[in-house]
């Protein structure tokens, strides 16, 4: 459901966090304004000194791989998301915030991060949809 105030369309980015290890999102619903940047925070807790973090976007209940960040390489971002999406892995602070530039209405979706790659079923509970 979109809220429109004047000429600004307000997007709601929903974050559902799923991982076999401890990954958490302080705020689940983020209200943002179209055309502006926003950052979605993901905090993680792992004993691994070299964690691999992944961001996904859900479309039709299926995960779309967005990007991977790790300590061994610059990481990987799929072509679809290279232009406006980025994330920086902070191993010391145990966070991997996702930054979205120039928000578009089509960005309104469920996003989540994980400590491991997701291949099969990704979320066992109900998903909140727009």
């Amino acid at each position: 459901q979109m809220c429109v105030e004047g000429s600004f369309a307000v997007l709601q980015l929903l974050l559902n966090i799923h991982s076999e290890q401890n990954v958490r999102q302080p705020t689940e619903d983020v209200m943002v304004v179209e055309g502006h940047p926003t950052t979605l925070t993901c905090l993680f807790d792992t004993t691994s000194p070299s964690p691999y973090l992944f961001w996904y976007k859900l479309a039709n209940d299926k995960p779309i791989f967005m990007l991977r960040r790790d300590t061994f390489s610059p990481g990987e971002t799929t072509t679809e998301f290279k232009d406006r999406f980025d994330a920086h892995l902070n191993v010391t602070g145990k966070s991997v915030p996702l930054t979205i530039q120039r928000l578009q209405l089509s960005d309104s979706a469920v996003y989540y991060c994980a400590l491991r790659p997701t291949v099969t079923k990704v979320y066992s509970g109900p998903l909140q949809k727009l």
Side-chain angles (χ1 to χ4, degrees):
Q1 186 177 358
M2 291 299 169
C3 303
V4 179
E5 296 178 2
S7 59
F8 295 102
V10 179
L11 312 182
Q12 189 172 28
L13 306 176
L14 305 176
L15 297 103
N16 285 317
I17 305 306
H18 167 86
S19 178
E20 294 179 10
Q21 300 187 55
N22 191 7
V23 178
R24 63 192 185 279
Q25 170 60 46
T27 29
E28 292 185 354
D29 293 358
V30 181
M31 300 298 291
V32 292
V33 179
E34 184 182 14
H36 288 235
T38 192
T39 299
L40 308 180
T41 304
C42 175
L43 305 174
F44 61 90
D45 187 17
T46 178
T47 56
S48 171
S50 306
Y52 284 75
L53 274 296
F54 302 81
W55 272 100
Y56 294 87
K57 177 180 181 179
L58 283 187
N60 300 320
D61 291 340
K62 294 181 180 179
I64 298 174
F65 169 69
M66 298 175 63
L67 54 85
R68 183 199 79 246
R69 294 293 182 265
D70 60 72
T71 56
F72 298 108
S73 71
E76 174 189 6
T77 304
T78 57
T79 304
E80 179 185 352
F81 298 101
K82 274 185 178 177
D83 184 35
R84 298 184 300 111
F85 295 78
D86 194 17
H88 175 70
L89 174 59
N90 183 335
V91 178
T92 305
K94 294 190 174 181
S95 68
V96 59
L98 176 71
T99 301
I100 308 173
Q101 302 293 338
R102 304 182 305 279
L103 276 156
Q104 302 173 0
L105 290 176
S106 58
D107 295 332
S108 198
V110 176
Y111 295 83
Y112 70 92
C113 62
L115 268 164
R116 299 182 182 183
T118 300
V119 179
T120 55
K121 187 176 178 182
V122 297
Y123 199 80
S124 57
L127 288 176
Q128 186 176 358
K129 293 182 180 179
L130 295 179

